[in-house]
Amino acid sequence: MDHLVKDALEGDRRVDTQDVDSIQRALITYMVRVVGTDPRSAGPRDWFLTVSHLLKGILSERGMTTSRAQYGQGTRRVYYLSMEFLTGRRLMKHLLDFGVESKMREALEGLGQDLDAIAEEEPDPALGNGGLGRLAACFLDSMATHRYPGYGYGIRYQFGMFSQTIEDGQQVEHPDNWLHRGNPWEFVRYGVNYPVRFHGRIVCFKDEKGRQKCQWVDTEDVLAMAYDMKVTGYDSPVISNLRLWSAQSTNAFDLRYFNQGNYIEAVKDKTTSETLSKVLYPMDSTVLGQELRLKQEYFFVSASLQDIVARHLRAHKDLALLPDKITIQLNDTHPALAVPEMMRILMDVHGLDWEPAWDLTRGIFCYTNHTLLPEALETWPIGMLEHVLPRHLEIIYQINHDHLQQVRFRFPGDMEALRRMSLVDDSTQRIRMAHLAIVGSKRVNGVAALHTRLLRENVFPEFDEMSPGKFVNVTNGVTQRRWLLQCNPGLSDLITEAIGDAWTTDLTALTALEPLAEDSAFRARFMAVKRINKERLAVHMKGLTGVMADPDSLFDVQVKRIHEYKRQLLNVLHVIHLYITIREGGAPVPGPRTVIVGGKAAPGYHLAKLIIRLINDVALTINNDPQVRDRLRVIFMPNYNVSNAEVTIPGADLSEQISTAGTEASGTGNMKFALNGALTIGTLDGANIEIKEEVGDDNIFIFGLTADEVAQTKQRGYNPWRVVEEDADLKRVIDMITSGFFSPQQVNRYHAIRDALFEEGDRYMVLADFRAYLDAQAAVDALYQDPETWARKAILNVARMGLFSSDRSIHTYADDIWSIKPMEL
Ligand code: 26V
């Protein structure tokens, strides 16, 4: 057999991807044999399936070569556990990674097909909420590109992030049935499945040697079935894997009922167990504490760890080698149950005692924190854990017992430290998942310098004191392959023509562009590319909303989840201020400007939804006002997702990164925009600070209170009323909203916004930063009047983005946290 496999992997049975004729033959073969359609009557969907099946074959061949090599090398691996992966569409990515885009385009053209139209057929797998899930996808790309042995584990949600439409100015959510026409990229592994247990009770006994042993019995089991998606890197022989778990009912479960003759009950319970992987929770800022969410978390953690341990034992036999051979990165606390689950597997399944099991466990995990917002820090009610995962609760108690011993030793007599550091919040009777993740990990990292500092100083200070060196920073990054090469071919070509293509795998190579900022011919070409991207974006938005933007106007863009802390409201206040100014004809009349806002609000987050409505109401008023609409236009872009981002970001002039200082952990959109030649208007928050340090103060519009000033202002007693009383412009803007100017049919529509700003004390300091924001925006307007200077600064932004590649983030994780090396292939 071996020679046949060798032939399949290396021999002449393979498609020659550099030969148009060979590609065309393969395409037709795949269409006939796999898709089962006559090429003469094939539609775009058939062509999409055909191209993806052809690529899937290549993915599989190369994937096998990688795993064979790796198995041979016994390489240390990293597993990235994440509830979310926002990969974006795969087709163009795989073509680019394999270096076959142009040949494929040519081959399809010869068959009368357009590659871009075919690529549009692919659904965008929205298996994530926002930043955290997209970061996971960028990391997989960087790991594969730089040949690190990294694997993702997640959930194959049947329904991803809802799709959003705007009806009557309001967000409407629709289910994202992304699998309804199948997913050609996945490999179903019917044979790879693990039981995941819930509920039941614990029986403890002494074994023959008199040791205490515990068993978890009478459980209700669900089966986790593996679906693999291959992960390619750019121009890399390494193909890694993203394994997503899907919930199935177990046969044993069904049988119980069938044997009782209750067919309907059996099928009903089957559906119940399958709800575990049914839908992605569309909240990214407040924890609800729902049992189903807890079960989802445990479901994917348990399946992943069973799989990881089984693979380890196949290769190395010895559990004691686990920390040498693997490391597991926890993407936020969502997979933090991995800590007690590993303990359970080591003790209850493999018979280890507590101490050795704990030593191994603590040598395996690392934890990334992604948020400072207290309402987003996960805690679970003790009663719920007891009901759903009784064995894990016991283990958590034991971990806490040992942990508090150490706290007593380190802070003798300090009851406050004990209370603050406990895994159990006594006042609410909840388990603090961040504390569990910290105690169970060898390293904890924040995602930008400021974020890590605030974690260490404000959120977990005693933990930092107790374990010096445990808390480290790894500033986020984005992959330049998707966020420049793929989404902005015009700018990519221009850059490559000017400085070569080294930047595709080493973003710091972009510094070679710096001198070109002074080259007027280059500036002209750079701005011509931007112009084309703006036209593309305008057409795209016209299709989505019916509103046409003028590509000559300044494209001012804020796209991200809608949240109070991100302050889309501050953006609207500025828009209304511009509107008033233009209407009054007061000098200087700013603009023309197109303000583009996009993003989804969590379905239960009323204020965020109200902000969407306000943006749409304001847009309606402004876009229909003949006196204003040529100077100012407002567009709410519906259904912001990875695919829409790929069109939006290259077309932006101005990137809005205006969160209240101290709230946005890092941001990654900020990096994507600057990389595509937008200037940033932003606060000193998250990675904006590092972006400012890189691009220089002259090339970014920074405004507003710093994180320390926000804290001080609040401490001294911040009074939103006074701020408004002292600022006539602000007062007029607020009055206009609250008087119902934008909602004449319902004058009190925005009173909840007024209450958040005044009655509830303007938690995010929108009013406090208003004046500084206006001044910064005025500076933007002034600069935009000077296109040459604007272009210089935009080019310098691109040139100085080298630090913000996810390649750099991954190299840092690999060297400082994971201790892994690139594979030799
Ligand atoms: C939190 C929750 C809470 C429970 C319900 C489901 C759910 C789902 C996701 C999240 C994640 C919130 C944290 C998050 O997305 N943080 C973002 O992470 C980005 C990558 O590090 C970072 O750039 C953003 O600043 C940060 O907001």
Side-chain angles (χ1 to χ4, degrees), residues 78-129:
V78 54
Y79 294 108
Y80 201 81
L81 262 58
S82 178
M83 287 280 276
E84 310 190 359
F85 287 91
L86 263 181
T87 61
R89 291 171 171 157
R90 321 299 305 153
L91 188 126
M92 277 299 186
K93 175 181 165 42
H94 290 320
L95 290 175
L96 274 171
D97 286 347
F98 290 155
V100 300
E101 193 215 320
S102 65
K103 291 288 177 200
M104 179 62 77
R105 191 176 289 281
E106 207 184 319
L108 285 165
E109 235 162 52
L111 298 167
Q113 302 302 318
D114 172 34
L115 175 59
D116 296 317
I118 291 170
E120 282 295 310
E121 286 295 313
E122 179 173 355
D124 186 336
L127 308 186
N129 269 281

Side-chain angles (χ1 to χ4, degrees), residues 88-89 120 122-124 483 540 641-648:
R89 291 171 171 157
E120 282 295 310
E122 179 173 355
D124 186 336
W483 297 112
H540 183 75
N641 59 12
V642 174
S643 299
N644 283 326
E646 288 166 3
V647 187
T648 307

Side-chain angles (χ1 to χ4, degrees), residues 1-26:
M1 183 183 72
D2 273 359
H3 70 285
L4 292 176
V5 178
K6 196 163 166 6
D7 189 33
L9 297 184
E10 298 158 19
D12 50 39
R13 295 174 52 109
R14 291 176 46 165
V15 189
D16 179 353
T17 50
Q18 291 312 317
D19 177 59
V20 170
D21 185 59
S22 165
I23 297 175
Q24 287 179 336
R25 276 171 205 288

Side-chain angles (χ1 to χ4, degrees), residues 105-248:
R105 191 176 289 281
E106 207 184 319
L108 285 165
E109 235 162 52
L111 298 167
Q113 302 302 318
D114 172 34
L115 175 59
D116 296 317
I118 291 170
E120 282 295 310
E121 286 295 313
E122 179 173 355
D124 186 336
L127 308 186
N129 269 281
L132 167 143
R134 183 54 232 176
L135 185 75
C138 284
F139 282 0
L140 291 183
D141 176 75
S142 287
M143 287 192 281
T145 298
H146 293 281
R147 309 187 179 197
Y148 289 111
Y151 301 82
Y153 276 106
I155 297 178
R156 180 181 178 272
Y157 300 105
Q158 190 183 337
F159 292 90
M161 186 66 194
F162 65 82
S163 82
Q164 177 198 53
T165 57
I166 301 299
E167 285 162 36
D168 245 349
Q170 301 179 75
Q171 166 172 301
V172 179
E173 300 99 26
H174 308 269
D176 166 53
N177 193 358
W178 71 293
L179 292 168
H180 75 299
R181 295 202 286 180
N183 173 15
W185 303 115
E186 66 194 12
F187 293 85
V188 198
R189 310 293 188 198
Y190 294 105
V192 182
N193 54 67
Y194 299 94
V196 177
R197 304 194 284 163
F198 297 96
H199 305 297
R201 59 195 176 84
I202 314 302
V203 285
C204 290
F205 56 91
K206 298 251 189 266
D207 70 3
E208 62 285 0
K209 292 186 190 139
R211 293 176 306 189
Q212 169 93 352
K213 295 279 158 190
C214 291
Q215 266 179 356
W216 185 13
V217 298
D218 293 341
T219 52
E220 289 173 30
D221 300 1
V222 176
L223 217 53
M225 169 114 72
Y227 285 73
D228 289 342
M229 307 260 263
K230 295 287 155 200
V231 179
T232 52
Y234 184 68
D235 191 19
S236 165
V238 168
I239 305 269
S240 45
N241 198 32
L242 170 57
R243 178 157 283 182
L244 302 178
W245 299 106
S246 175
Q248 309 275 312

Side-chain angles (χ1 to χ4, degrees), residues 83-84 129-133 135 280-288 293 297 331-332 334 368-371 375-378 447 451 476 565-566 663-671 686:
M83 287 280 276
E84 310 190 359
N129 269 281
L132 167 143
L135 185 75
L280 166 81
Y281 274 89
M283 299 80 92
D284 67 344
S285 47
T286 30
V287 290
L288 278 187
R293 165 82 186 183
E297 293 184 351
N331 199 23
D332 216 299
H334 315 151
T368 305
N369 174 288
H370 293 270
T371 184
E375 65 268 33
L377 292 177
E378 283 190 304
V447 291
H451 173 228
N476 284 166
Y565 85 79
K566 296 179 188 279
T663 62
E664 187 71 273
S666 161
T668 44
N670 46 5
M671 303 166 186

